[in-house]
Amino acid sequence: MTSERAGAVPDASGHFGSFGGRLAPEALMSALDELAAAYEQARTDPEFQAELTALLTGYAGRPTLITEVPRFAAQAGGCRVFLKREDMAHTGSHKINNVLGQALLTKRLGKTRVIAETGAGQHGVATATAAALLGLECTVYMGEEDTRRQALNVARMQMLGAEVVPVTTGSRTLKDAMNEAFRNWVSTVEYTHYCIGSVGGPHPFPMMVRDFQRIIGVEAREQMLQAVGRLPDAVLACVGGGSNAIGVFHAFIPDEGVALIGCEAGGDGLDTGRHAATLTAGSAGVLHGMRTFLLQDADGQTLQTHSISAGLDYPGVGPEHAWLQETGRARYRAITDSEAMHAFSVLCRTEGIIPAIESSHALAGALQAGQELGPDAILLVNLSGRGDKDVDIAGRWFGHLGNGASQ
């Protein structure tokens, strides 16, 4: 894929090939037009870009480090493995990159309130953080099941002044939180901006969130060249909605010698039906204002999903990922809960880094890819978040807090 082809998407209507678009209620069309126009101006406005850069460097802590992890790599066939340390960004994940950009846009639009959906809670925490910083009202919608799994992040959001609304419909997870956020936006659009946390939803969100997150790959590409004098053989990232993955992939899309590997939530295994492996096991359809891949039945009804990771427990995926798979530029694999938790433990015990369970899916992918590519390979893994929020889940899994699934 040439750089020209990579830069050609999305088109003016928000399509990545046959994916994406703007399939939204009529009541939101004017708000989406307004947002698209404001973003188009902001992306070329030196003042806006300077303000965002100042926040990313002086507040979010960019650039984040890359860290070589040789003891972890020894478990991956002896190749070299580097981590892009988004876990070290303020609030503990990559989410802050996008939220700071959207919060500045909210001010630019003259709106006073932001709403967000969240699964693992990291996007909610980042949104609450930016709202506190910039003086915006903040409401976060979170599936009731996820408020239980991620109680620590619920408390963090509330400490930052946000209202957290548990969503009790459907599977009570990320999909349902997004549904509720869209409903609220329709009725409050005059003064509210919906700060979508991933590269999904109607145009311009997939493009805009990608652009705010692509700093991850821009930094990492230069850092790898400085560290080892060449580009990695593969770049790996976990994929739920897909913002951290697009963020690290995007700068490498023109580099055809660099494999792009997305790691989805395989849950209990594809054969069990209890998973969230949208690209691996899904089909094309429409969800949350976009045409993309999703998990659906023969009648087009969205299926329930399962993952030990709240942040990957989503039945859809960003349309650019569907396009990257269709064109063959990226490939995607399913990582089971057990494989992810094994990789979580390996990184903890070999490198003294506790990763988010979401990121552990990418670490598991690296353990596999290292064996496949051999000891001369160099891998870059986007460590999209830290594992503080997951200590309860992981502690129970490993038996440290009782009711352990395995040791």
Side-chain angles (χ1 to χ4, degrees), residues 291-306:
R291 185 175 187 273
T292 187
F293 261 62
L294 64 145
L295 297 174
Q296 57 187 335
D297 64 19
D299 297 321
Q301 297 299 306
T302 305
L303 296 173
Q304 289 201 3
T305 55
H306 162 75

Side-chain angles (χ1 to χ4, degrees), residues 250-313:
H250 197 258
F252 293 95
I253 289 176
D255 303 303
E256 295 187 15
V258 179
L260 305 178
I261 303 173
C263 299
E264 299 190 290
D268 292 338
L270 298 185
D271 57 341
T272 69
R274 283 176 47 80
H275 61 80
T278 305
L279 289 163
T280 310
S283 56
V286 175
L287 179 68
H288 291 147
M290 58 182 167
R291 185 175 187 273
T292 187
F293 261 62
L294 64 145
L295 297 174
Q296 57 187 335
D297 64 19
D299 297 321
Q301 297 299 306
T302 305
L303 296 173
Q304 289 201 3
T305 55
H306 162 75
S307 173
I308 192 172
S309 160
L312 303 185
D313 199 358

Side-chain angles (χ1 to χ4, degrees), residues 116-162:
E117 86 296 332
T118 196
Q122 289 299 102
H123 175 60
V125 168
T127 304
T129 298
L133 177 69
L134 297 178
L136 298 167
E137 183 185 349
C138 180
T139 302
V140 179
Y141 294 90
M142 191 172 189
E144 186 180 49
E145 171 67 12
D146 292 337
T147 64
R148 180 190 62 79
R149 291 195 284 185
Q150 299 293 337
L152 175 64
N153 273 343
V154 173
R156 293 172 74 193
M157 287 181 264
Q158 293 170 332
M159 288 175 190
L160 291 160

Side-chain angles (χ1 to χ4, degrees), residues 96-241:
I96 193 70
N97 306 324
N98 165 50
V99 167
L100 287 173
Q102 289 203 53
L104 289 178
L105 271 179
T106 303
K107 301 279 281 190
R108 190 182 184 97
L109 289 165
K111 297 187 177 185
T112 59
R113 176 176 179 257
V114 289
I115 60 174
E117 86 296 332
T118 196
Q122 289 299 102
H123 175 60
V125 168
T127 304
T129 298
L133 177 69
L134 297 178
L136 298 167
E137 183 185 349
C138 180
T139 302
V140 179
Y141 294 90
M142 191 172 189
E144 186 180 49
E145 171 67 12
D146 292 337
T147 64
R148 180 190 62 79
R149 291 195 284 185
Q150 299 293 337
L152 175 64
N153 273 343
V154 173
R156 293 172 74 193
M157 287 181 264
Q158 293 170 332
M159 288 175 190
L160 291 160
E163 177 190 12
V164 180
V165 179
V167 177
T168 59
T169 57
S171 60
R172 297 172 295 131
T173 57
L174 182 56
K175 170 182 72 74
D176 311 290
M178 199 165 187
N179 288 341
E180 201 61 35
F182 268 115
R183 290 189 191 101
N184 182 269
W185 196 26
V186 168
S187 62
T188 63
V189 69
E190 291 182 3
Y191 58 91
T192 298
H193 170 65
Y194 180 9
C195 184
I196 290 181
S198 198
V199 285
H203 178 68
F205 284 105
M207 173 185 71
M208 182 175 67
V209 177
R210 176 201 69 192
D211 290 352
F212 287 141
Q213 291 291 4
R214 72 182 302 275
I215 191 171
I216 302 170
V218 170
E219 289 177 2
R221 193 179 187 281
E222 180 61 30
Q223 289 169 322
M224 290 301 295
L225 289 172
Q226 291 178 356
V228 299
R230 71 174 182 89
L231 298 178
D233 296 290
V235 178
L236 299 99
C238 65
V239 179

Side-chain angles (χ1 to χ4, degrees), residues 63-83:
T64 57
L65 302 176
I66 60 165
T67 300
E68 186 168 10
V69 284
R71 297 190 66 231
F72 177 88
Q75 306 295 314
C79 63
R80 298 182 72 181
V81 178
F82 292 80
L83 306 181

